[in-house]
Amino acid sequence: MQSAPPSTRIFIGKLGTVTKQDLFRECALYGNILDFLMKEQYAFVVRAFHPEEYSNVNEAEKAIIDLDGKYFSGQRIIAEFAKPKSSLGSSSHR
């Protein structure tokens, strides 16, 4: 799956039974997290200055490289750069 251009916001999907606390703890390895939006099967990581953003692109990129395809709570998750909010459509969560 092709990712959107680099930004400070990442999408994590196919979460299965992953808890918010476990995912938060895992994502914290890549920089300071303020919070993140987690729905049933996906999450947007929230970083510095603006909700749902990492404080810099390098932190987001490292998280994506390390998390994409990783097995977490028995489920193989996906991680990619999130699409800009302006391109969010009714059929897309990213």
Side-chain angles (χ1 to χ4, degrees), residues 20-70:
K20 183 175 181 176
Q21 294 79 12
D22 288 342
L23 186 60
F24 187 94
R25 191 173 18 259
E26 184 71 20
C27 291
L29 298 173
Y30 305 98
N32 296 322
I33 296 175
L34 298 177
D35 198 1
F36 60 83
L37 172 66
M38 184 168 170
K39 298 291 185 178
E40 189 173 320
Q41 289 292 312
Y42 66 92
F44 288 107
V45 177
V46 178
R47 294 282 177 177
F49 313 111
H50 186 275
E52 301 165 350
E53 294 187 359
Y54 274 87
S55 58
N56 67 61
V57 174
N58 293 333
E59 287 179 0
E61 187 172 44
K62 174 129 177 65
I64 289 167
I65 290 168
D66 290 353
L67 293 173
D68 190 45
K70 181 177 183 173

